[in-house]
Amino acid sequence: MDHDHQERIKQRAHEIWESEGRPEGRDAEHWSRAEEELRNQMDGGSQGGTDGQSDLAQTAAAAKPKRAPRKSSAKSAKADPTPYLNDAP
């Protein structure tokens, strides 16, 4: 049973790693998060139905990093056009 638990942690850590774009050097963090998620899942039980995989998929979606909002560029801002020297009457 301990081997099965370790295997689930390994699988979840791998899912987290992939969901974050496969960054290098964060394996210990991913392993810890996987352990914590599975521990919480076992303590709290399954709330999303009888399929444990759907719980993992939901957790993976929540763990996915969000993109930073785009900054508005000067090109997209609507402002009065700057007059040019040769635009004079």
Side-chain angles (χ1 to χ4, degrees), residues 1-14:
M1 180 121 148
D2 187 39
H3 178 69
D4 291 339
H5 184 68
Q6 290 291 323
E7 197 60 35
R8 282 183 288 194
I9 294 171
K10 179 180 173 182
Q11 179 183 2
R12 181 63 192 128
H14 185 79

Side-chain angles (χ1 to χ4, degrees), residues 4-5 11 14-15 18 22-23 25-26 29 31-32 41-43 50-52 56 58 62 68-70 76 83 85 88:
D4 291 339
H5 184 68
Q11 179 183 2
H14 185 79
E15 290 172 356
E18 284 187 328
R22 299 179 177 186
R26 296 182 50 202
E29 177 186 339
W31 188 271
S32 296
Q41 189 179 39
M42 289 187 340
D43 290 346
T50 58
D51 183 18
L56 289 177
Q58 290 173 359
R70 290 185 178 183
S76 66
L85 293 176

Side-chain angles (χ1 to χ4, degrees), residues 53-74:
Q53 188 69 4
S54 65
D55 289 341
L56 289 177
Q58 290 173 359
T59 306
K64 198 173 216 181
K66 307 256 189 280
R67 288 186 178 178
R70 290 185 178 183
K71 294 180 181 177
S72 62
S73 65

